[in-house]
Amino acid sequence: MITKTLLRALDGKALWVLAALLLIAIAVPASNLALPSGHPLRVPDHFVPLLGKYLTYAMLALALDLVWGFCGILSLGHGAFFALGGYAMGMYLMRQIGDRGVYAHPILPDFMVFLNWKELPWFWYGFDMFWFSAVMVVVAPGLLAFVFGWFAFRSRVTGVYLSIITQAMTYALMLAFFRNDMGFGGNNGLTDFKDILGAPIQAGTTRAALFAASAVALGLCFLVCSAIVNSKLGKVLVAVRDAESRTRFLGYRVERYKLFAFTASAMMAGLAGALYVPQVGIINPGEFAPANSIEIVIWTAVGGRGTLVGPIIGAVLVNAGKSWFTGLFPEFWLFALGGLFVAVTLFLPRGIVGTLADAWHAMKARHRPASLEEGSPRPPKGSARMDPSPAE
Amino acid sequence: MHPIRLILTLLLALLLTGAPGALAQADTVEALVRALPEGGYSEREKVIFALAETGDDRVARLLSVLGEGDLYLHEADGRVVAARRSGEGYAISDALSGEALGTVEKGALEKIRVNNRLRRAIDGAIAQLTLMSPRAPVRLSAARNLLKTAEPDALDLLDKALARESDADVRRVMEQARAAIVLKTETSVEEQLAAVEMLAERGDREALAMLTGALAGAAPPVQSALRSGIASVERRLALWDALQNVWYGLSLGSVLLLAAIGLAITFGVMGVINMAHGEIVMLGAYTTFAVQQVIRTSFPGLFDYSLAIALPLAFLIAALVGIAIERGIIRWLYGRPLETLLATWGLSLVLQQTVRTIFGPNNREVGNPAWMSGAFELGGLSITWNRLWIVAFALFVFAVLLAVLNRTQLGLQMRAVTQNRRMASAMGIRTPWVDAMTFGLGSGIAGMAGVALSQIDNVSPNLGQSYIIDSFMVVVFGGVGNLWGTLVGAFTLGVVNKFLEPYAGAVLGKILILVFIILFIQRRPRGLFALKGRAVDA
Amino acid sequence: MSDRQTLLYLDGVSVSFDGFKAINNLSLIVGHRELQAIIGPNGAGKTTMMDIITGKTRPDEGEVFFEGAIDLTRLDETAIAELGIGRKFQKPTVFESHTVWDNLALALKKPRGVFSTWFYHPSQEDVARLDEILDIIRLRPRRDALAANLSHGQKQWLEIGMLLAQDPKLLLVDEPVAGMTDAETVETAKLLKEIARTRSVVVVEHDMSFVRDLAARVTVLAEGSVLAQGSLDHVSADPRVIESYLGR
C-alpha cells in the first residue's frame, strides 16, 4: 500500500521537481568544489550557504503550505517549530565544541560556565550523540505541535482565533528562550560552532555537503507532501479547508486530520531549522519572533498556496529579493515587504504558480473545449483488487 | 513694617524672653538677624533663642541656612546674606526674604560660624518654630520629621506642642512621634506599651522599622507587645501591598483597555482583523510628540494643554488613516479574514518604516504636563497622577464608546450592518459608508490610546508591536463582539499579570498569562462573554 | 422506551439560544424505512431539530435515542455520522474545489481514519458503486467537473448522491428541491421515495406539491414543537395548521 501511495505521489510534475532538486544538489556543490576560483560558472564560496539557507526556507514554506494551503490552518507560529528544530541541532553542535570553548570546560558549553552552572541540565543529555539530536530535531517540534494542536483542534478553535493563538505560542516561546535560566543560552542563543559529524563546519566541503543535504531533504519533504495531497487523505484535508463542518457530517474526525497535518508540518519545519542552523552558524531566540512566522506566510502566498511548487518558488524568490534589496537599500526593505503583503493579497491571491496554472488551464480550455470533460485523468480503475484498509 | 505689628512683636519678644536689655531693645527679626554676626558663640546662641521666640515663618529657613554654614556677613554693607558657590564667586541672597542680590567675590563675605552646640540649638529652635507654627501644614511636616528622626532631646518640646495642639491630624502624628521617642528612651513599661500600641496603629513601613528596632533592648512584657504589634503591622502592610498590586493591575488593565478597545470595534464588531492596529496607536503617540514639538518651539506657555490639543488631533489623524486603510485595502477583503490579517500586517510594516524614516529609529521624548506628574499617597497606596489620569481616561473612552454604539444613529447602523449586512443595505443604510465610519471610529480611538500611552511608555516605531499581541489577547479573552467583555478582559489580565509578577518575575508572568489564555480559548473558544445561537456557527 | 419499529426517538427536547426557545418540548418518532416530511413556518425549529439529531447542537433537556439505545445527545457530529445518520444541508454544501467524483469518493462508506485514507486505493467495487450513484443522480457526464461549476440543482443532487454513498440508515434532507425546476422536483421526489424503501428518510420542505408527491406522513412544526401529524390532507385540514402556517 505504501509503495503504491508513494508511486502515486510521483506524478509527472513531482518527478520534474525532484529531478531539478537532485540536479542542483549535485551541480552547486560540484561547481563550487571542482571549478577553479574565478571561473565564470563557479558558485562563489559565500553563495553556497546562502543558497542552502534558501532551500531550508523553502522547506519551511512547504511545511506551512501543507497546513495552510491544503488544510486551511493559517499558523502564525511555524517559526517556533523551525526554531525548535534549530535549537535541537544547535545543542548538538554546542556539545561538539567540547573543551575548545573559551572556558575550555570539557562538558559545559561556554554560556553555562559563564552563568556559573555546575552541571549539565537534564534536557541537554544525549545531545552529544548525532542520532539522538537528529531524532529530537523532528520530535521536539512534532511534540509541541501535537500537544498544542490536540488542545486547539479538539475544542474547535479555528480561523483567525487559531492564527492568533499560534502567534501567542511563538511569542511566549520567544520570551521564554530569552531567559538565561531556560538553559538555552538566553539572548545570545547558541553559536561559535566548531564541527558537525567530525567535519569542520566552516570548511568548503562541509558547506557543500550541507547544501546537498538541504536539497535532498527538501526533495524528501516534497515527496511526502506530494504523497499526502495526492491521496484521499489530501482530499479530506482540502475538504476540511473548504467545508469543515460538512466533512464532519460525513463522519470524518476533522480534528485528527488537522492534528496529523499540523504535526507532520511541524516536523518538516523542525528539519528545516536543523539544516538552517549549521549553515548560518547561529540560533537565537529572535527566530521565535512573531514577525518571522508571518514572513513565512508571505513566501507561501507569493509562490501560491495550495500548490506544492509554489511555496518553494515563493521562498526562494522573496529571500533572494530580500538579500538583494537589503544590500542596496536597507532602509526600504520593510516598505517592499509590507507592500508585497498588501499586493499579493489584493492582486495575486492564488500566488505566482496558482495564477500561472489558472492561465494555463484557461488557455487549454479555449483550445479544446469539448474534450476537457472526457479527457482529464481518472482514478485508477480495474486494477488488481486491493484491500483499502491501512497497511500498518 | 506696620507700626502696630512692630510694637506687638516687640512686646511679645519682651514678654516671652525677658532677655537682656541690649537685645530686647532691638527685638525685631531684622534687628536680631543683624545681631547674628556679632560676638562669640554664646551671644549667638542667645540670638538664636530670641529668633526662635519671634515665631516668624521666615526664621526657620534662615536658621537652617545657618545650620548648614551658608550664612555670611556681606562686609561692604553689613547685610546678612545666604550664599552659595556659583562659578568663580558666590551667589548671594537676602537671608530673610530670599531675594537674589547678585554675585560677589569670596573676599567680600565673612562666614557666620557655628559649632556643635549651636547646631543643636538651631535644630531645637527650628523644631520649636515649626512645631509651634501657627500654620497646621508646617506643624504636620515638623511632626513627621520628628517621627522619622525620633530625636530624644525633642521630647520636652513635643510635650509642650502637644499641650497646645488643636488639630486632630497633627496631634495624632505628634503622638506617634512621641511614641517613637518614648520607645527609644528609658521610660516606664506602661508608657512603652502605650507607645507600641500607638505605633502599631500607624501601621506603615516606618512604624514596622521602629518596632523591630525597639525589639532588641525591650523589657519582656514590652517585647511580647512589640511582637504582636509587628505582626499586626505586617498583616496590614500585606493588605496594602495587595491593594497596591490591584492598583498596578488596574493601571495596566486600563492601558490594555485603551489599546484593545479600538480593536474590539474593528475585530469584535466588524470581524476585521487589523494587524496594523498597534501602528495606529503609535501614530497617536507620534502626534503627541509632534504637537509638543510645535508647542515647545512656538508657544511654550501652552505646554500644559498639549495633551488636550493632541487628543482630538490624534483621533482625527488616526481615524483618517483608518478610513484610508478600510477604503483602500480592507473592503476588498471582506469575508476573507486570513487575507485581511496578512494585508494589514504588511501595512503595519510600511507604517512602522514610514515613522522610522520621518522621526528616526530612536525613542522620542514626550513630556508629562504638570498636572500629570508626581504622585500622592492614599492610605498605604502610592498613586502617580499620570496612571490615575489614564485609568480615568480609559473608562471615559469606554463610556463614550458604549454611548456611541447604543445611543447614536451611527451606532444603530453599525449594529445593523454587523448583524445582517444585506438586510441593512436593503433598508437604505449605506453599508460601505458605515464600514468606513466604524473602522474610522476604531482607529480614532486607537489614536487617542496612543496619546495616553505616550505618557507612560517610550515613543518609538516599535510602540505598536509591543501592544498588538496583548490587545488581541484581551479581545479574544473577553469575547468578540462584546465591549463589556473587553473591559472585564483588560482589567482581569492586568490585575492577574501584576499579581503574578512578584512571584514569577515579569517575563515568566507574561508567559504564564499567554499559556493561560491559550488554554482558556480551548475551553471557551468564543471568550468570556460569548454570543450563543445558530448565527454564530453559520 | 421505544420498540423495535423505532429508528429515531425524540422526547421532550428543548433548546434555547439566549432566552429564545428554538425548540420547545419536541417529541418525534421516525420508524425504520419510513419517509417522513416535516413542514413548518420559518423559525419553527426545523433546522435546529436537525442540528440536535446530528450533534451540532446539544439540547438543554430531553432525550434523543437512535436504534433504541444509543443516546445521540452524548455524541458529536462525527460519531453520529458514523452511526449511519446522513444529512443534506439547506444550502447545498459540496466540496467545491473537488470534482464530482472526488466528492462522492470522500462520502463513500470506508474507514475514516487518517492513515486508512492516506493509503486508500479504490477497489473495483468502490468504483462500480460510485458509477452507479453517478447514474442515479445523473451526473455521469459531469464526473470530472469541479463541484463549484455545477448548477444549483446539480449541487442538490450531488449532495443527495453523497448521502447515498455514505450508506446511512437515516437520511435527514433539508429543503432538497429549493432552486430546482419542476421536472427536477418530480424526479427528486421519486428518488427519495426509492431511497426510503431501504432506509428511513426525513425531509424538511416548504414546497407543498413536492410534499404531496412524496405521499408521506407529515409532521407540522410550529414555534419549536409538533403542531399536527398525519397525512398531508389530514394536517391541511387542521385549523391550527391553517392558522399558523398554511393560511398565511
Side-chain angles (χ1 to χ4, degrees):
Chain A
M1 292 310 94
I2 291 175
T3 43
K4 251 201 144 51
T5 304
L6 275 180
L7 279 178
R8 192 171 46 197
L10 286 170
D11 62 357
K13 268 178 286 177
L15 270 180
W16 280 111
V17 175
L18 288 179
L21 282 174
L22 197 64
L23 185 73
I24 65 163
I26 297 167
V28 170
S31 111
N32 174 257
L33 295 176
L35 297 176
S37 80
H39 192 283
L41 286 181
R42 184 176 187 270
V43 177
D45 285 341
H46 67 276
F47 253 62
V48 177
L50 187 68
L51 293 176
K53 189 174 90 171
Y54 293 169
L55 290 183
T56 61
Y57 283 159
M59 269 170 83
L60 181 55
L62 183 66
L64 180 75
D65 190 37
L66 183 66
V67 285
W68 184 37
F70 289 94
C71 199
I73 305 167
L74 176 53
S75 163
L76 296 183
H78 253 52
F81 305 129
F82 182 77
L84 278 183
Y87 265 97
M89 177 54 91
M91 285 158 84
Y92 164 74
L93 295 171
M94 285 311 266
R95 304 259 346 233
Q96 290 306 297
I97 297 173
D99 58 3
R100 288 169 293 174
V102 178
Y103 297 107
H105 195 285
I107 295 184
L108 293 189
D110 277 349
F111 75 88
M112 291 188 195
V113 182
F114 183 76
L115 291 174
N116 266 326
W117 291 22
K118 294 298 166 226
E119 54 185 295
L120 205 63
W122 60 268
F123 46 85
W124 276 74
Y125 292 156
F127 280 94
D128 47 338
M129 294 171 283
F130 183 77
W131 69 266
F132 180 82
S133 316
V135 168
M136 291 316 284
V137 157
V138 289
V139 166
L143 196 67
L144 173 67
F146 186 85
V147 171
F148 185 89
W150 193 77
F151 280 115
F153 302 140
R154 202 184 49 137
S155 26
R156 302 197 185 166
V157 180
T158 55
V160 183
Y161 288 86
L162 190 79
S163 303
I164 292 174
I165 62 166
T166 50
Q167 188 174 36
M169 174 194 78
T170 192
Y171 185 61
L173 279 170
M174 177 180 80
L175 294 178
F177 272 73
F178 265 122
R179 289 159 50 87
N180 275 332
D181 33 357
M182 272 288 281
F184 295 106
N187 207 353
N188 302 322
L190 310 175
T191 188
D192 292 332
F193 308 132
K194 303 283 190 244
D195 45 37
I196 177 168
L197 285 171
I201 207 158
Q202 298 283 353
T205 45
T206 316
R207 300 204 139 175
L210 281 169
F211 175 87
S214 305
V216 169
L218 177 59
L220 281 176
C221 286
F222 183 85
L223 193 64
V224 171
C225 287
S226 181
I228 290 174
V229 304
N230 285 312
S231 70
K232 188 175 167 188
L233 166 62
K235 296 202 163 71
V236 176
L237 292 182
V238 172
V240 169
R241 178 191 76 187
D242 290 350
E244 174 169 340
S245 127
R246 187 76 186 88
T247 319
R248 206 169 261 134
F249 283 113
L250 277 184
Y252 288 98
R253 287 246 159 250
V254 167
E255 55 274 17
R256 290 192 193 154
Y257 282 82
K258 285 183 166 180
L259 193 54
F260 171 81
F262 196 60
T263 310
S265 170
M267 289 163 102
M268 280 182 223
L271 184 59
L275 286 161
Y276 166 87
V277 166
Q279 300 191 73
V280 299
I282 184 170
I283 175 82
N284 63 31
E287 295 292 336
F288 285 104
N292 282 17
S293 291
I294 296 196
E295 226 174 284
I296 309 167
V297 176
I298 204 64
W299 307 337
T300 310
V302 166
R305 66 190 147 109
T307 69
L308 289 180
V309 191
I312 299 179
I313 292 177
V316 174
L317 274 185
V318 175
N319 282 296
K322 182 179 187 173
S323 303
W324 178 76
F325 226 109
T326 45
L328 286 181
F329 332 93
E331 307 280 294
F332 293 98
W333 165 242
L334 278 184
F335 284 127
L337 185 66
L340 195 63
F341 270 99
V342 178
V344 167
T345 44
L346 283 184
F347 306 117
L348 210 64
R350 309 246 301 125
I352 295 171
V353 174
T355 309
L356 287 180
D358 285 353
W360 174 250
H361 285 308
M363 206 176 72
K364 257 192 352 193
R366 224 181 305 130
H367 283 290
R368 10 171 231 159
S371 58
L372 180 69
E373 275 172 12
E374 289 301 311
S376 359
R378 286 164 178 238
K381 224 182 196 180
S383 51
R385 271 211 59 178
M386 288 169 301
D387 180 16
S389 61
E392 329 100 277
Chain B
M1 197 182 258
H2 199 277
I4 296 176
R5 196 163 157 205
L6 180 75
I7 294 163
L8 278 176
T9 314
L10 282 170
L11 278 175
L12 194 72
L14 278 171
L15 279 173
L16 285 171
T17 57
L23 284 174
Q25 287 157 16
D27 263 0
T28 66
V29 176
E30 282 78 6
L32 286 169
V33 169
R34 269 196 298 280
L36 261 178
E38 293 158 16
Y41 288 129
S42 57
E43 278 86 26
R44 204 162 286 157
E45 190 179 1
K46 281 181 191 133
V47 177
I48 288 167
F49 286 142
L51 272 168
E53 295 299 337
T54 62
D56 191 301
D57 275 351
R58 301 169 297 173
V59 172
R61 207 182 64 87
L62 170 90
L63 287 181
S64 75
V65 172
L66 176 62
E68 284 157 25
D70 287 336
L71 206 63
Y72 293 84
L73 175 67
H74 191 216
E75 288 179 328
D77 57 5
R79 246 172 129 153
V80 174
V81 293
R84 245 168 226 293
R85 186 178 278 280
S86 146
E88 291 292 291
Y90 281 76
I92 58 172
S93 55
D94 186 85
L96 279 174
S97 67
E99 175 199 355
L101 298 171
T103 319
V104 295
E105 278 177 28
K106 193 180 179 213
L109 298 172
E110 191 192 315
K111 188 168 183 152
I112 302 173
R113 294 182 188 284
V114 284
N115 59 8
N116 279 342
R117 206 177 111 191
L118 275 186
R119 278 196 197 94
R120 251 199 316 280
I122 289 169
D123 285 345
I126 290 175
Q128 180 185 353
L129 269 170
T130 47
L131 278 175
M132 311 278 189
S133 162
R135 295 191 303 134
V138 176
R139 298 200 300 272
L140 188 63
S141 87
R144 282 203 179 125
N145 215 17
L146 210 51
L147 179 67
K148 260 181 215 132
T149 55
E151 184 58 53
D153 292 352
L155 191 57
D156 289 344
L157 188 61
L158 195 56
D159 281 338
K160 256 190 245 163
L162 261 172
R164 49 183 275 191
E165 184 55 62
S166 55
D167 186 307
D169 286 341
V170 180
R171 197 181 169 80
R172 198 170 60 244
V173 179
M174 283 182 172
E175 279 169 347
Q176 287 162 350
R178 188 176 186 283
I181 297 170
V182 165
L183 270 187
K184 268 191 172 177
T185 45
E186 303 276 324
T187 41
S188 69
V189 170
E190 286 77 37
E191 240 184 303
Q192 297 241 326
L193 286 178
V196 170
E197 198 179 329
M198 181 69 70
L199 282 175
E201 197 181 297
R202 181 176 169 87
D204 64 355
R205 259 170 233 293
E206 280 165 16
L208 185 65
M210 286 171 200
L211 292 174
T212 323
L215 197 56
V222 180
Q223 261 191 358
S224 73
L226 275 171
R227 282 211 187 81
S228 72
I230 288 171
S232 95
V233 172
E234 275 173 345
R235 269 199 305 278
R236 201 184 147 105
L237 282 177
L239 186 69
W240 281 116
D241 274 355
L243 280 176
Q244 183 80 54
N245 274 337
V246 170
W247 166 249
Y248 285 146
L250 290 180
S251 157
L252 176 66
S254 65
V255 170
L256 290 176
L257 179 64
L258 274 175
I261 196 166
L263 206 63
I265 295 185
T266 51
F267 181 41
V269 179
M270 295 177 78
V272 165
I273 202 138
N274 179 15
M275 296 297 271
H277 184 83
E279 276 59 38
I280 295 179
V281 173
M282 170 195 76
L283 286 185
Y286 272 96
T287 307
T288 320
F289 168 71
V291 165
Q292 289 199 349
Q293 279 304 94
V294 171
I295 285 178
R296 273 204 191 99
T297 52
S298 311
F299 318 96
L302 287 177
F303 189 77
D304 273 357
Y305 302 97
S306 60
L307 293 191
I309 300 167
L311 266 182
L313 209 58
F315 181 86
L316 209 63
I317 290 176
L320 287 177
V321 170
I323 291 173
I325 294 174
E326 200 277 338
R327 288 289 90 187
I329 297 175
I330 290 174
R331 73 158 150 161
W332 307 107
L333 298 170
Y334 278 123
R336 288 156 64 195
L338 298 182
E339 271 89 344
T340 316
L341 188 156
L342 292 181
T344 49
W345 172 268
L347 202 70
S348 79
L349 295 182
V350 172
L351 285 174
Q352 262 177 49
Q353 190 60 30
T354 309
V355 166
R356 205 171 278 134
T357 312
I358 299 176
F359 293 97
N362 299 326
N363 290 348
R364 288 306 189 151
E365 201 206 314
V366 172
N368 292 357
W371 48 275
M372 278 189 80
S373 347
F376 65 96
E377 301 268 326
L378 184 74
L381 295 181
S382 138
I383 290 173
T384 52
W385 278 108
N386 57 358
R387 294 273 174 181
L388 184 67
W389 276 110
I390 285 174
V391 172
F393 179 66
L395 292 175
F396 171 74
V397 169
F398 180 81
V400 168
L401 196 60
L402 218 54
V404 166
L405 279 181
N406 292 332
R407 295 284 155 81
T408 66
Q409 188 68 19
L410 175 66
L412 183 65
Q413 295 189 349
M414 271 164 61
R415 284 179 292 139
V417 171
T418 318
Q419 283 173 19
N420 193 332
R421 175 172 296 271
R422 282 171 57 192
M423 190 59 150
S425 162
M427 292 182 65
I429 297 175
R430 286 185 292 154
T431 51
W433 183 82
V434 173
D435 286 338
M437 286 302 114
T438 313
F439 206 83
L441 179 65
S443 305
I445 289 170
M448 296 206 295
V451 178
L453 292 187
S454 75
Q455 294 299 305
I456 50 170
D457 205 346
N458 296 327
V459 177
S460 79
N462 300 327
L463 172 80
Q465 270 195 324
S466 48
Y467 284 101
I468 188 73
I469 291 187
D470 288 340
S471 315
F472 271 118
M473 290 298 127
V474 166
V475 176
V476 166
F477 176 69
V480 170
N482 190 326
L483 284 185
W484 288 103
T486 309
L487 180 78
V488 175
F491 283 117
T492 311
L493 291 187
V495 171
V496 171
N497 202 336
K498 287 297 169 188
F499 267 93
L500 278 178
E501 255 175 31
Y503 307 106
V507 177
L508 204 58
K510 191 151 190 163
I511 296 170
L512 286 176
I513 294 253
L514 285 174
V515 171
F516 161 73
I517 292 177
I518 290 174
L519 288 175
F520 176 82
I521 293 179
Q522 328 276 359
R523 292 288 312 161
R524 305 205 42 177
R526 306 268 159 193
L528 269 183
F529 294 85
L531 299 168
K532 277 203 301 186
R534 245 175 78 185
V536 173
D537 292 314
Chain C
M1 103 185 18
S2 60
D3 58 55
R4 278 183 200 184
Q5 303 297 301
T6 310
L7 181 67
L8 181 69
Y9 171 89
L10 276 77
D11 187 33
V13 174
S14 298
V15 68
S16 57
F17 301 124
D18 289 331
F20 167 70
K21 278 219 160 184
I23 295 279
N24 189 8
N25 197 18
L26 173 78
S27 300
L28 187 81
I29 287 176
V30 179
H32 284 286
R33 290 186 289 284
E34 187 198 346
L35 178 60
Q36 188 172 148
I38 293 181
I39 61 174
N42 279 326
K46 301 182 301 273
T47 302
T48 307
M49 183 196 79
M50 292 218 172
D51 283 348
I52 288 174
I53 297 171
T54 52
K56 191 175 178 186
T57 303
R58 300 238 176 278
D60 297 334
E61 51 187 293
E63 302 176 322
V64 184
F65 281 95
F66 186 65
E67 293 187 313
I70 304 164
D71 184 357
L72 294 186
T73 58
R74 294 171 183 279
L75 302 174
D76 67 352
E77 298 99 312
T78 313
I80 291 173
E82 291 259 88
L83 278 177
I85 298 183
R87 178 174 183 186
K88 195 203 88 62
F89 287 80
Q90 188 172 347
K91 186 169 158 257
T93 37
V94 291
F95 303 118
E96 307 228 326
S97 43
H98 283 319
T99 62
V100 169
W101 179 269
D102 283 341
N103 266 285
L104 293 174
L106 281 177
L108 195 64
K109 193 176 185 185
K110 285 282 151 192
R112 298 291 208 230
V114 172
F115 290 94
S116 343
T117 49
W118 192 3
F119 302 118
Y120 166 78
H121 286 266
S123 67
Q124 252 174 326
E125 289 108 66
D126 295 350
V127 173
R129 174 73 184 138
L130 292 181
D131 275 332
E132 193 188 333
I133 294 173
L134 272 180
D135 285 332
I136 297 175
I137 61 173
R138 300 168 180 201
L139 286 174
R140 186 181 263 280
R142 304 281 285 163
R143 58 167 282 174
D144 293 316
L146 289 184
N149 298 334
L150 298 180
S151 73
H152 190 78
Q154 284 174 321
K155 281 184 192 167
Q156 298 271 39
W157 280 63
L158 175 57
E159 208 178 354
I160 293 172
M162 288 164 72
L163 272 185
L164 285 177
Q166 253 181 288
D167 192 23
K169 295 172 186 153
L170 171 67
L171 282 81
L172 303 173
V173 190
D174 203 348
E175 302 199 12
V177 296
M180 281 189 180
T181 63
D182 285 352
E184 282 172 333
T185 305
V186 173
E187 289 298 325
T188 309
K190 263 192 214 164
L191 176 60
L192 288 177
K193 281 201 281 189
E194 179 67 30
I195 295 170
R197 288 191 191 175
T198 50
R199 49 198 103 217
S200 306
V201 180
V202 174
V203 185
V204 168
E205 191 45 84
H206 280 297
D207 186 331
M208 277 305 142
S209 65
F210 173 75
V211 174
R212 191 169 297 280
D213 284 350
L214 286 178
R217 189 158 73 112
V218 174
T219 301
V220 184
L221 288 191
E223 287 167 10
S225 47
V226 174
L227 199 61
Q229 252 181 342
S231 71
L232 185 61
D233 292 332
H234 172 78
V235 297
S236 307
D238 192 318
R240 286 175 305 169
V241 176
I242 296 170
E243 160 68 20
S244 83
Y245 183 40
L246 296 169
R248 285 189 194 169

